[in-house]
Amino acid sequence: MGGGSGEEIMKEYEDAVARDEFLAKELEDLAKGAESLRELMRGLEEELGTQFKDGIKKINKQFGEFFALMFGGGTASLEVAIEKKKKKSDTDIEGILEGEVEMPEEEEAEEGIEVSISLPHKKIRGLQMLSGGERALTSIALIFAVSQVNPPPFLVLDETDAALDEANSKKY
């Protein structure tokens, strides 16, 4: 058939078998590595979620105090808002790349922050109803609350009162 001797064929066969075994071990190592990374990601997500919620509680307390101080009353709070988004799964990448399998969609919960406020002597509830100056004061109260919970080495507040009218500047 135009091939070499039987010894050359056996040598080529042995090389192919050795390479196949090597690649099988590599695939097994990759699978183990991927699983350990998934476990690490789950652990980090839990830890970050706990720290996030604890931080929100601490900031929330300070935010309410600064808000009441700046507005002469009223309430302000931060709430964790959960929004569900559709996410594409990466479980069958090979089939997806070859066009054999459609990409299934999963729902993923994404956390965010919602600011709830209530001004004294007004029926305004929500940031959308505030004037520009009131929004700026609310933002400043939030910045102060965050800096109280986790104090930075220094804080530059340049032009923070630029958006405020005279009455709100006095409150600031």
Side-chain angles (χ1 to χ4, degrees):
M1 290 224 163
S5 67
E7 289 177 18
E8 289 177 8
I9 294 173
M10 287 305 292
K11 170 98 171 93
E12 188 175 328
Y13 171 75
E14 289 169 2
D15 289 346
V17 167
R19 176 133 175 90
D20 188 47
E21 289 173 359
F22 171 76
L23 291 175
K25 287 179 185 176
E26 290 291 311
L27 281 173
E28 187 178 315
D29 287 347
L30 286 173
K32 286 179 185 176
E35 183 56 36
S36 69
L37 283 175
R38 284 188 195 101
E39 287 178 30
L40 179 64
M41 286 171 52
R42 282 190 288 270
L44 284 174
E45 284 176 2
E46 284 180 29
E47 180 67 25
L48 287 174
T50 302
Q51 288 181 4
F52 177 74
K53 288 176 182 167
D54 289 345
I56 292 296
K57 286 178 186 174
K58 291 175 185 174
I59 292 170
N60 201 11
K61 181 178 181 272
Q62 293 294 322
F63 181 44
E65 290 175 12
F66 278 112
F67 185 86
L69 182 67
M70 287 189 176
F71 286 97
T75 60
S77 65
L78 300 175
E79 298 168 7
V80 176
I82 298 174
E83 183 179 328
K84 291 190 177 183
K85 291 187 171 187
K86 293 194 176 188
K87 171 188 154 187
K88 303 228 182 238
S89 174
D90 62 349
T91 54
D92 192 12
I93 297 293
E94 192 174 296
I96 293 167
L97 292 176
E98 294 172 2
E100 298 169 359
V101 178
E102 272 191 48
M103 196 173 256
E105 292 185 3
E106 299 175 354
E107 281 194 1
E108 179 182 79
E110 192 171 281
E111 290 184 347
I113 303 290
E114 184 148 337
V115 179
S116 300
I117 58 114
S118 174
L119 291 176
H121 315 297
K122 291 186 180 180
K123 291 186 178 185
I124 294 176
R125 299 207 184 276
L127 291 173
Q128 301 83 352
M129 306 290 286
L130 296 177
S131 69
E134 291 168 334
R135 284 184 192 183
L137 270 182
T138 303
S139 300
I140 291 166
L142 184 57
I143 289 170
F144 286 166
V146 171
S147 67
Q148 282 292 105
V149 171
N150 190 6
F154 60 90
L155 186 62
V156 178
L157 299 172
D158 186 31
E159 297 289 329
T160 54
D161 62 336
L164 302 177
D165 59 7
E166 191 173 329
N168 286 331
S169 287
K170 288 179 183 177
K171 290 178 184 178
Y172 178 59

